[in-house]
């Protein structure tokens, strides 16, 4: 078996949409922010070939508070509690496990909105930190035998938790978004 080549994992791609509604006469706005997450890596390690992939989505309703604003620029902060779900695959040689998991997470951030042409067109620049840790994933399907040698998964059965090094295998969707 190939062994988990975690050092070979690269960055993930993520796309988000945003639907926003500013409460009339208020410094608050509500947003609905769905997102899509994708990561895939394949190659070979000392023990053979491997293929890892993960596809997920997030749904974060956001409370945006405009702290300081005028007609041209608005400074704001974001606060959110949302949900993330991920489906993935680990394939090492002929052994394969497909897994899924989900969890609640939170997001906080700051930004600025620049408005042009009397406020009819605006552009956001923001930075948010999202904490979304899926501490354990469940095997949806398993083929082959994972025996724990060489850093591979050591315990997995359909509808059970995926174990690596006698610990639950988890996925982290945290970061700056």
């Amino acid at each position: 078996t190939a062994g988990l080549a975690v050092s070979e994992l690269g960055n993930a791609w993520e796309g988000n949409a945003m639907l926003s509604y500013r409460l009339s006469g208020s410094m608050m706005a509500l947003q609905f922010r769905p997102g899509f997450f994708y990561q895939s890596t394949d190659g070979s390690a000392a023990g053979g070939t491997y293929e890892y992939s993960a596809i997920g989505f997030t749904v974060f309703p956001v409370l945006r508070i405009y702290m300081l604003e005028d007609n041209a620029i608005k400074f704001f902060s974001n606060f959110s509690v949302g949900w993330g779900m991920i489906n993935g695959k680990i394939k090492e040689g002929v052994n394969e496990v497909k897994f899924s998991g989900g969890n609640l997470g939170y997001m906080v951030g700051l930004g600025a909105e620049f408005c042009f042409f009397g406020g009819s067109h605006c552009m956001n620049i923001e930075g948010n930190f999202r904490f979304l840790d899926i501490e354990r994933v469940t095997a949806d399907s398993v083929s082959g035998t994972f025996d724990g040698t060489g850093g591979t998964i050591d315990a997995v059965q359909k509808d059970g938790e995926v174990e690596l090094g006698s610990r639950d295998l988890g996925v982290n969707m945290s970061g700056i978004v």
Side-chain angles (χ1 to χ4, degrees), residues 86 99-103 133-139 160-163 167-172:
I86 197 151
F99 60 86
S100 63
N103 201 3
D133 189 25
I134 300 171
E135 296 178 355
R136 60 184 53 89
V137 294
T138 304
E161 293 177 352
V162 180
E163 302 281 332
R167 297 180 61 143
D168 295 334
L169 180 66
V171 177
N172 192 328

Side-chain angles (χ1 to χ4, degrees), residues 23 41 58 69 76 79 82 92 107 121 125 127 129 151 159 166:
L23 301 171
T41 301
T58 60
E69 64 182 308
F76 59 83
F79 303 95
E92 297 177 337
M107 183 174 68
H121 298 288
I125 297 176
F129 178 76
D159 298 325
S166 299

Side-chain angles (χ1 to χ4, degrees), residues 3 48 65:
I65 299 175

Side-chain angles (χ1 to χ4, degrees), residues 28-124:
M28 291 188 270
L30 300 174
Q31 288 185 339
F32 178 69
R33 194 179 280 197
F36 176 77
F37 177 90
Y38 174 77
Q39 200 281 333
S40 180
T41 301
D42 60 6
S44 60
T49 61
Y50 62 87
E51 180 183 339
Y52 309 133
S53 62
I55 295 174
F57 70 90
T58 60
V59 177
F60 277 83
V62 178
L63 174 64
R64 175 173 281 182
I65 299 175
Y66 290 92
M67 300 176 293
L68 183 62
E69 64 182 308
D70 65 17
N71 291 339
I73 188 169
K74 301 170 184 169
F75 294 103
F76 59 83
S77 58
N78 292 327
F79 303 95
S80 180
V81 175
W83 176 259
M85 175 76 177
I86 197 151
N87 295 304
K89 177 175 78 169
I90 298 173
K91 184 174 183 181
E92 297 177 337
V94 296
N95 304 323
E96 181 179 300
V97 59
K98 293 183 179 176
F99 60 86
S100 63
N103 201 3
L104 284 172
Y106 64 86
M107 183 174 68
V108 295
L110 296 171
E113 186 174 287
F114 301 93
C115 296
F116 310 98
F117 308 112
S120 61
H121 298 288
C122 297
M123 174 181 71
N124 285 340

